[in-house]
Amino acid sequence: MEVKEIMSFVEENLRKLYTNREPKGLYEPISYVLSVGGKRIRPTFVLLSNQMFGGDKLEVLRPALGIEVFHNFTLVHDDIMDRADKRRGRETIHVKWNESTAILSGDAMLSEAYELMCSAKPELLPSLLALFSKTVREVYEGQQFDMDFESRTDVSPSEYMSMIRLKTAVLLAGALKVGAILAGASEKDADLIYEYGIGIGLAFQIKDDLLDVYGDTAKFGKNIGGDILCNKKTFLLTTALTTADAESKAELLKWINAENPNPAEKIKAVTGIFTRLGIDKAAEAEMKRQYDYALKSLSEISVDSPEKQTFANIAKDLLYRED
Amino acid sequence: MEVKEIMSFVEENLRKLYTNREPKGLYEPISYVLSVGGKRIRPTFVLLSNQMFGGDKLEVLRPALGIEVFHNFTLVHDDIMDRADKRRGRETIHVKWNESTAILSGDAMLSEAYELMCSAKPELLPSLLALFSKTVREVYEGQQFDMDFESRTDVSPSEYMSMIRLKTAVLLAGALKVGAILAGASEKDADLIYEYGIGIGLAFQIKDDLLDVYGDTAKFGKNIGGDILCNKKTFLLTTALTTADAESKAELLKWINAENPNPAEKIKAVTGIFTRLGIDKAAEAEMKRQYDYALKSLSEISVDSPEKQTFANIAKDLLYRED
């Protein structure tokens, strides 16, 4: 299947998961959150990787949906923690229903993710579940590090990279490896497609950090400077705080500690400091390094199939995306 | 092992689970909640059932801990939903830390529970995980029904029984069946010990409902009448509302809908209605029926070992407990 076909295949089957289940108070919010959409990149990765290694889409479908349900579970609980009212333009569960519903429905989604994983062939369950459990644990650890970083101003770029590796990259990588394991790929190939996922996951996040500051509002879809306003520890800010001269650092800290600064002024000033220090160039270089790592890992995979080129194209689109 | 030895074996190994893991912000709350204690009845059931069917305690230990970690996860998230400040005399996680920590640590406990389950022998994983997933799903459904009942006054006793079956009994029953499966018990025996668990789980909850109204404060450890004050849909209240004559029902509804009633007066009046209607006798009869069902299921199990008597004693202690 082509990527677009895979995406519709995922979408169609995802919508069937939660129809007419009781009690409604538990399952309707889940159905709602899964219908909000999104790119379905993770389950698509499971299926595409599986296809690359010669797997059967029907055997990998439910674990692929499990990865997407897990991802959406993290969004439901993260949105409570972040007090986010909207997600993809629609009200979040704790707003549309209430917080108890968001907690419990999220819990049920996490369990459903495990249940979907468990539909794999029995002989593959131990390695599959070991991978999934490790991935899940790492995602929580990433989320906790991210929360810990909020109250710190001494986060190093390498700590930041470790955090986003856990919070973001391992799930993309894990999705790819799930597809590989279920297709019976060799351990080496499964590890290589995992590393491709880590590389593009990290590159993706740095790109996101860059777009938040240097992006085009119309294309990016979010307001520019959101990260700057809430002092988010991004690749840009952690690099700036670590490498800046004393004067620039003091200026940055002044803006970070300012109470009720004028938003436009703060964004302009901090962006100016970043540019003056060459932080944009440093971020682009790091992004390129991760991109190269992803492509190198991909090229070392022992199979020769068209999906390899598809993965290379995905990486390229990611690096040069404007939104 | 005797029950007491099993309990210490569980306690000792539970405490080892979360030592020195990073990030501390994620794992310290888990370690805290698992150290608060409790009777460890569920993992003890796993081990005792496993022993009855001739299993090996070292093979069943981690899944047994998984059941206890899962149970404690439900307490952590329920306490957020119920806004409970204390649990077993100590501050709950969302009070001692904050709500985000309680959500995320709970999530990590749920995943840890699955991870502990997955340490079972690969050939037993499919049946074990199918049972565990079903149990987990049912516990959520029970919790949701319980929340749905809060805003209703037309809950029937049979709806109430279905709800506590899901919310409370299936986890006790599931624990027993986990032990049976891991010892290689026959499907029939595994189902029988499960049904024993359902019976005592339901009997236990009805006893709890009775003690809340007719118990002795000193022995019960909680204040008497707490359920009455918050109009909790217990076996007593649902039976009373369903079977009462028009006058008694009106009187009950008057107390349920009263704004800021005098607590002592409300408890006295509602208890009086219950007694007049013979609700205490009806509850005792239902409890006895569940107890008999538990003992009958137990007696039909095909093995002949001392643990069978231990399970019979546990059921008896439960029925005649005063706290």
Side-chain angles (χ1 to χ4, degrees):
Chain A
M1 291 193 288
E2 294 292 318
V3 171
K4 282 203 171 164
E5 287 172 85
I6 293 180
M7 285 164 112
S8 346
F9 181 61
V10 164
E11 196 63 44
E12 188 188 314
N13 283 286
L14 201 58
R15 278 163 199 272
K16 285 185 203 156
L17 276 184
Y18 289 94
T19 38
N20 301 320
R21 277 166 68 171
E22 291 274 353
K24 286 200 170 30
L26 181 60
Y27 294 116
E28 274 184 0
I30 301 180
S31 180
Y32 168 82
V33 79
L34 290 178
S35 72
V36 173
K39 292 176 193 154
R40 313 299 188 199
I41 188 161
R42 293 160 194 82
T44 301
F45 267 18
V46 178
L47 282 147
L48 193 62
S49 166
N50 188 257
Q51 184 172 303
M52 177 166 77
F53 292 112
D56 175 343
K57 70 174 179 181
L58 292 179
E59 279 181 16
V60 76
L61 172 64
R62 291 177 67 80
L65 298 179
I67 293 281
E68 183 65 9
V69 171
F70 171 75
H71 172 61
N72 279 272
F73 140 75
T74 65
L75 302 181
V76 170
H77 278 192
D78 283 1
D79 284 343
I80 309 174
M81 299 185 218
D82 296 342
R83 308 264 155 231
D85 293 345
K86 300 229 168 181
R87 160 85 56 188
R88 295 175 191 137
R90 284 169 64 177
E91 280 178 334
T92 46
I93 296 190
H94 64 277
V95 171
K96 191 171 165 71
W97 282 269
N98 55 56
E99 198 181 292
S100 293
T101 300
I103 293 175
L104 191 63
S105 297
D107 293 345
M109 289 171 79
L110 174 54
S111 295
E112 179 81 16
Y114 278 95
E115 213 167 332
L116 288 163
M117 281 291 145
C118 289
S119 61
K121 279 189 198 162
E123 65 270 28
L124 295 174
L125 272 185
S127 58
L128 188 68
L129 289 169
L131 167 64
F132 186 61
S133 293
K134 174 172 166 282
T135 306
V136 164
R137 193 176 346 108
E138 290 181 337
V139 170
Y140 299 142
E141 292 175 359
Q143 169 72 4
Q144 182 66 46
F145 280 121
D146 198 17
M147 297 197 301
D148 291 346
F149 288 179
E150 283 172 23
S151 54
R152 289 176 49 193
T153 50
D154 63 345
V155 178
S156 70
S158 89
E159 278 184 291
Y160 174 73
M161 294 296 284
S162 301
M163 183 278 285
I164 59 169
R165 185 183 196 283
L166 296 169
K167 191 176 171 172
T168 305
V170 296
L171 186 56
L172 288 168
L176 292 160
K177 193 167 174 177
V178 163
I181 288 176
L182 292 179
S186 73
E187 211 178 306
K188 194 178 169 204
D189 280 345
D191 286 341
L192 285 167
I193 193 70
Y194 185 89
E195 292 305 317
Y196 160 86
I198 293 291
I200 65 158
L202 294 175
F204 182 91
Q205 185 60 52
I206 297 171
K207 181 82 189 185
D208 221 50
D209 291 355
L210 271 167
L211 286 172
D212 187 83
V213 176
Y214 296 101
D216 178 326
T217 310
K219 291 182 190 161
F220 190 46
K222 295 195 259 188
N223 290 329
I224 296 302
D227 290 347
I228 291 178
L229 286 182
C230 64
N231 300 325
K232 196 162 167 53
K233 306 302 175 321
T234 62
F235 185 82
L236 307 181
L237 183 56
T238 57
T239 306
L241 284 170
T242 315
T243 60
D245 53 283
E247 197 183 330
S248 301
K249 187 173 175 178
E251 208 183 330
L252 263 177
L253 287 173
K254 191 198 77 185
W255 281 108
I256 287 174
N257 297 319
E259 281 181 36
N260 301 315
N262 175 297
E265 270 179 35
K266 178 170 175 177
I267 293 170
K268 197 177 162 207
V270 173
T271 304
I273 302 170
F274 285 166
T275 310
R276 194 173 73 220
L277 294 171
I279 302 300
D280 51 340
K281 297 283 171 285
E284 275 160 21
E286 179 61 26
M287 185 174 70
K288 184 68 171 50
R289 209 173 69 82
Q290 298 299 341
Y291 169 78
D292 289 344
Y293 177 72
L295 285 195
K296 181 171 172 290
S297 305
L298 184 68
S299 72
E300 288 172 10
I301 290 171
S302 73
V303 300
D304 188 20
S305 68
E307 289 80 12
K308 230 167 154 172
Q309 188 55 48
T310 311
F311 278 122
N313 294 343
I314 290 173
K316 201 173 164 192
D317 288 349
L318 185 81
L319 196 70
Y320 297 104
R321 76 194 162 104
E322 297 290 329
D323 59 354
Chain B
M1 291 193 287
E2 295 292 318
V3 171
K4 284 205 169 160
E5 288 172 84
I6 294 180
M7 286 164 110
S8 345
F9 181 60
V10 165
E11 195 64 45
E12 186 188 315
N13 283 286
L14 200 58
R15 279 163 199 271
K16 285 185 203 157
L17 275 184
Y18 288 94
T19 37
N20 299 321
R21 276 165 69 171
E22 291 275 351
K24 286 200 170 29
L26 180 61
Y27 294 115
E28 274 183 0
I30 302 180
S31 180
Y32 168 82
V33 78
L34 290 177
S35 71
V36 173
K39 292 177 193 156
R40 313 297 189 201
I41 188 162
R42 293 159 194 81
T44 301
F45 267 18
V46 178
L47 282 147
L48 193 61
S49 165
N50 188 258
Q51 185 172 301
M52 177 166 78
F53 292 111
D56 174 343
K57 70 173 180 181
L58 292 179
E59 279 181 15
V60 77
L61 172 65
R62 290 176 68 79
L65 298 178
I67 293 281
E68 182 66 9
V69 171
F70 172 75
H71 171 61
N72 279 273
F73 141 74
T74 65
L75 302 181
V76 170
H77 279 191
D78 283 2
D79 284 342
I80 308 174
M81 300 186 217
D82 297 341
R83 308 264 155 230
D85 293 346
K86 298 231 168 177
R87 161 82 58 187
R88 295 177 191 134
R90 284 168 64 177
E91 281 178 332
T92 46
I93 296 190
H94 63 278
V95 171
K96 192 172 163 72
W97 282 269
N98 55 56
E99 200 181 291
S100 293
T101 300
I103 293 175
L104 191 63
S105 297
D107 293 344
M109 289 170 79
L110 174 54
S111 296
E112 179 81 15
Y114 278 95
E115 213 166 333
L116 287 163
M117 281 291 144
C118 289
S119 61
K121 279 189 197 162
E123 63 270 29
L124 296 173
L125 272 186
S127 57
L128 187 69
L129 289 170
L131 166 64
F132 186 61
S133 292
K134 175 172 165 282
T135 306
V136 164
R137 195 179 342 109
E138 290 180 338
V139 170
Y140 299 142
E141 292 175 0
Q143 168 72 2
Q144 182 67 45
F145 280 120
D146 198 18
M147 297 197 301
D148 291 346
F149 288 178
E150 283 173 23
S151 54
R152 289 175 50 193
T153 50
D154 64 344
V155 179
S156 70
S158 89
E159 278 184 290
Y160 174 74
M161 294 296 284
S162 300
M163 182 277 286
I164 59 168
R165 184 183 196 283
L166 295 169
K167 191 176 170 172
T168 305
V170 297
L171 187 56
L172 288 168
L176 292 160
K177 193 168 174 177
V178 163
I181 288 176
L182 292 180
S186 72
E187 212 178 305
K188 196 179 167 204
D189 280 344
D191 286 340
L192 286 167
I193 193 71
Y194 185 89
E195 293 306 316
Y196 160 85
I198 293 290
I200 65 159
L202 294 175
F204 182 91
Q205 185 60 52
I206 296 171
K207 181 82 189 184
D208 219 52
D209 292 354
L210 271 166
L211 286 172
D212 186 82
V213 176
Y214 296 101
D216 178 326
T217 310
K219 290 182 189 159
F220 189 47
K222 297 195 258 188
N223 289 330
I224 297 301
D227 290 347
I228 292 178
L229 287 182
C230 65
N231 299 325
K232 196 161 168 54
K233 306 302 174 322
T234 63
F235 185 83
L236 307 179
L237 183 56
T238 58
T239 306
L241 284 169
T242 315
T243 60
D245 53 282
E247 198 183 328
S248 300
K249 187 172 175 178
E251 208 184 329
L252 261 178
L253 286 173
K254 191 198 76 185
W255 282 109
I256 287 174
N257 296 319
E259 280 182 35
N260 301 316
N262 175 296
E265 270 178 37
K266 178 170 175 176
I267 293 170
K268 197 177 163 208
V270 173
T271 305
I273 302 169
F274 285 166
T275 309
R276 194 172 74 220
L277 294 170
I279 302 299
D280 50 340
K281 298 283 172 282
E284 274 160 20
E286 179 62 26
M287 186 174 70
K288 184 68 169 50
R289 211 173 67 81
Q290 298 299 340
Y291 169 79
D292 289 344
Y293 177 73
L295 285 195
K296 182 173 172 290
S297 304
L298 185 68
S299 72
E300 287 171 11
I301 290 172
S302 72
V303 300
D304 187 22
S305 68
E307 289 81 11
K308 230 166 154 172
Q309 189 54 49
T310 310
F311 278 121
N313 295 343
I314 288 172
K316 201 174 165 192
D317 288 349
L318 186 79
L319 197 69
Y320 297 104
R321 76 194 162 105
E322 297 289 329
D323 60 352

